[in-house]
Amino acid sequence: MFLRQVFALCAVVCALLAPVAAQPNVVLIVADDMGFGDVGYNGSEIATPHLDQLAAEGVVLDHFYTSPLCSPSRAGLLTGRYPIRMGINEPVTRADTVGLPQAETTLAEALKASGYETAMVGKWHLGDDCPYHPGLHGFDAFLGMLGGGANYYNRLTIVGPDWWRGVAPVDTGGYTTDLIADEAVEVLSVPRLKPLFLYLPFTAPHTPLQAPEEDIALYASLPEPRRTYAAMVTNLDRSIGRIMETIRASSSERETVVWFLSDNGGAAELGGDNGPLRGKKGQSWEGGIRVPSVVWAPQRFEPRVIEHPVWYLDVFPTVMGLVPGASPPLLPLDGANQGPQLAGERPTETLLERLLYSYRRTGSDGSWLGVQNATWKYTSRRTSENVAQGFFRIDLDPFEQSDSLSTYRPMAQAFQEAGLAFADLTLPGASSDITLETEQPADLSDCPGILSVPSPPGASDLGLRVGPNPFSTSATIEVTSKETRFVIVELIDVVGRRVRTLYEGAVTANVPRGVALRRGGLPSGTYFVRVTGGGGSELAQVTLAR
């Protein structure tokens, strides 16, 4: 009898733990400004043995695309949505008043709602102010820099130091790449019952070009700036090797999925190399947006090379597709789940024919627009003097040498029109606003109170309902609370801006409070109702129809 009870208890416990055990750890590693030709497995003279091993054991995404620039790429891969939708299509600077909106659901928030612990180590670059802090976007722990770059030995920028643990500035000696790897190894080594999402956006090999002397000595035959750049890449590769060693050592405890990518192409004048690809960072040519990427998950995917386009916006839905029971975010995704293709399925016609956009609103050499699918690509560069256009059979001409614009003008025009419609989504004041020139150091002194507000849905004892939804003239918001407390009810738009405050006042414990939501001149579209109070917050999507 006793043994039967033990076996029955074990069966119940195993059944309860089975869904959690099926959830893999997820480690997302991002290099900064590493070009397509800067890894050994793509023919580089730079030694990257650990990335080469990752490629040999994993799924190489040979046609992986990003935004031409860093902040947009980071916003897109964390949300699965085009950064232009949130006002980010240039690098966010310390002079900007924009950042990653709270209305967006990040991969960290989505995984946290599915039972994950979340941590970020490295470069954020999605807003310096409190509302944009990683802690308000689903990360339980954060160590790194908020801005775009700093001295590798003291983390100093032109306005002061930029290295934080949570919201507290920290003064840590050492080389930045090593510090990120040290923290990552420590995070990965902590025993835990929950699955882990670890976001590792390295700063290397982004400027300033600085590397340990012993690494620079490895490339004495190379001219500068390539020499120091190569040393930075090798140092980064060594750090990734340490991280992978830790992951492999714990593989028996829980499966880990590792996704490596660069945030955009390299720039030759800064040491980068995009191989045979045309163009560089900041441009919509292949060299600006096609980057090295590998997915390593030996328990799921056999080693192979995928040659159809995979977009940085696909990271979010693909990772979520690997997590049993994960719920989609409120806002519609622009990316697609590539899980079946990673497992060996042929890409669908929908995947091959979808249009992928790359856009840069401003730049020293003009604005850039790219529209492409698996077969064709349209590009344009607009300056104050003229507009240069091109149309390429990108599957047969990946180096963009043979312009087919005159031969396929109607098709090229259709791509152009789609691209211009996409560019029209740019929000006023989108970063980087060139009218803002005075950079300010981050001030997070008031952040602890803000960061105490849980970001995942359902993290508070507040209740929120809106109906009817959709509505055309008016709706009623119903707010409930388990305790009597003061609350604020706000209407916000899809980029996180407050449209209006609907109610400020008390809600009695367990007594529903009705708040009117009237059209009042609002344009049709998607909005969010947010109720905040007592250290908790709830969010509900609402649609205003015609």
Side-chain angles (χ1 to χ4, degrees):
M1 173 66 77
F2 174 73
L3 288 178
R4 285 200 301 268
Q5 290 175 333
V6 170
F7 287 138
L9 178 60
C10 288
V12 171
V13 172
C14 290
L16 290 174
L17 292 180
V20 176
Q23 295 178 321
N25 292 331
V26 178
V27 180
L28 178 57
I29 304 175
V30 181
D32 198 342
D33 286 8
M34 178 185 283
F36 185 83
D38 286 328
V39 289
Y41 69 84
N42 277 344
S44 177
E45 79 274 31
I46 301 177
T48 58
H50 301 289
L51 285 174
D52 297 347
Q53 181 181 359
L54 200 71
E57 297 173 351
V59 181
V60 175
L61 307 179
D62 190 56
H63 288 70
F64 185 85
Y65 290 95
T66 64
S67 161
L69 292 164
C70 44
S71 291
S73 287
R74 294 160 198 275
L77 68 90
L78 283 177
T79 64
R81 289 164 45 80
Y82 279 111
I84 195 173
R85 300 190 187 280
M86 48 197 95
I88 299 175
N89 55 45
E90 288 285 308
V92 176
T93 74
R94 297 177 188 86
D96 281 316
T97 56
V98 300
L100 187 64
Q102 292 186 35
E104 298 291 334
T105 299
T106 67
L107 185 55
E109 289 173 298
L111 290 174
K112 189 172 180 179
S114 298
Y116 276 67
E117 291 184 27
T118 61
M120 175 189 162
V121 186
K123 172 179 171 177
W124 177 238
H125 209 192
L126 290 173
D128 291 2
D129 294 334
C130 292
Y132 310 124
H133 191 279
L136 277 181
H137 288 288
F139 290 101
D140 298 321
F142 165 64
L143 174 70
M145 66 178 58
L146 295 173
N151 183 290
Y152 277 78
Y153 289 98
N154 56 24
R155 268 59 64 195
L156 284 176
T157 72
I158 60 173
V159 294
D162 185 11
W163 197 249
W164 309 80
R165 184 174 292 279
V167 297
V170 290
D171 183 8
T172 305
Y175 186 66
T176 299
T177 306
D178 295 334
L179 295 180
I180 294 173
D182 290 344
E183 183 77 3
V185 168
E186 184 172 338
V187 170
L188 289 165
S189 301
V190 173
R192 53 177 51 85
L193 295 176
K194 293 183 177 182
L196 170 70
F197 171 52
L198 177 58
Y199 176 43
L200 286 177
F202 281 88
T203 60
H206 190 287
T207 55
L209 296 180
Q210 298 171 309
E213 289 299 326
E214 58 269 27
D215 289 323
I216 295 177
L218 298 174
Y219 298 99
S221 62
L222 295 180
E224 290 291 3
R226 182 67 173 170
R227 181 188 307 161
T228 300
Y229 179 96
M232 296 174 75
V233 172
T234 288
N235 186 279
L236 170 63
D237 179 81
R238 187 183 306 118
S239 291
I240 292 174
R242 291 175 53 205
I243 292 165
M244 291 305 301
E245 181 181 6
T246 305
I247 290 172
R248 290 186 175 96
S250 61
S251 60
S252 60
E253 300 172 10
R254 186 187 295 270
E255 176 194 8
T256 298
V257 175
V258 178
W259 196 324
F260 165 79
L261 59 99
S262 178
D263 63 345
N264 48 248
E269 68 272 20
L270 300 176
D273 179 14
N274 299 311
L277 302 179
R278 183 178 181 180
K280 63 177 184 177
K281 171 184 177 179
Q283 301 175 345
S284 59
W285 299 120
E286 293 288 281
I289 59 176
R290 184 176 163 188
V291 300
S293 181
V294 177
V295 175
W296 182 89
Q299 296 182 41
R300 291 178 183 252
F301 309 131
E302 296 181 358
R304 62 170 54 87
V305 177
I306 286 181
E307 296 185 344
H308 71 271
V310 178
W311 212 235
Y312 67 116
L313 306 172
D314 298 337
V315 172
F316 186 115
T318 301
V319 169
M320 294 304 291
L322 302 177
V323 177
S327 300
L330 293 174
L331 295 174
L333 297 178
D334 293 310
N337 180 4
Q338 298 269 1
Q341 285 66 48
L342 292 175
E345 290 188 16
R346 294 177 60 84
T348 64
E349 288 301 312
T350 300
L351 279 178
L352 296 177
E353 294 177 358
R354 64 176 177 158
L355 291 182
L356 309 172
Y357 302 96
S358 58
Y359 176 57
R360 186 178 183 190
R361 182 176 63 97
T362 62
S364 58
D365 56 351
S367 64
W368 290 83
L369 176 64
V371 184
Q372 63 196 99
N373 57 22
T375 308
W376 293 98
K377 178 177 180 180
Y378 167 84
T379 64
S380 72
R381 173 191 170 197
R382 183 181 299 272
T383 66
S384 57
E385 289 79 24
N386 67 339
V387 177
Q389 303 178 78
F391 195 58
F392 304 92
R393 181 69 190 267
I394 200 65
D395 59 337
L396 303 178
D397 180 23
F399 309 142
E400 299 167 292
Q401 299 297 309
S402 181
D403 190 351
S404 301
L405 182 65
S406 59
T407 306
Y408 297 95
R409 190 168 295 277
M411 189 188 305
Q413 184 175 354
F415 274 56
Q416 178 193 35
E417 291 174 354
L420 292 175
F422 171 79
D424 285 342
L425 295 174
T426 305
L427 295 166
S431 67
S432 183
D433 190 333
I434 58 176
T435 65
L436 300 174
E437 298 178 352
T438 304
E439 293 200 352
Q440 300 291 333
D443 180 9
L444 305 184
S445 57
D446 293 330
C447 280
I450 295 176
L451 294 177
S452 67
V453 179
S455 55
S460 71
D461 62 0
L462 293 168
L464 178 63
R465 296 176 55 191
V466 183
N469 188 13
F471 75 99
S472 57
T473 56
S474 65
T476 298
I477 302 166
E478 183 182 274
V479 179
T480 57
S481 174
K482 293 180 180 179
E483 299 179 3
T484 299
R485 65 184 52 181
F486 181 87
V487 302
I488 300 175
V489 181
E490 302 166 296
L491 186 68
I492 59 178
D493 64 16
V494 294
V495 295
R497 298 173 297 197
R498 186 177 68 250
V499 177
R500 62 180 63 158
T501 299
L502 303 172
Y503 176 75
E504 292 186 59
V507 173
T508 304
N510 300 315
V511 178
R513 173 76 192 199
V515 178
L517 172 58
R518 299 183 178 86
R519 183 181 188 107
L522 292 174
S524 301
T526 300
Y527 296 87
F528 291 87
V529 175
R530 179 173 61 196
V531 56
T532 307
S537 180
E538 289 293 331
L539 194 71
Q541 180 178 332
V542 60
T543 301
L544 176 53
R546 295 184 182 276

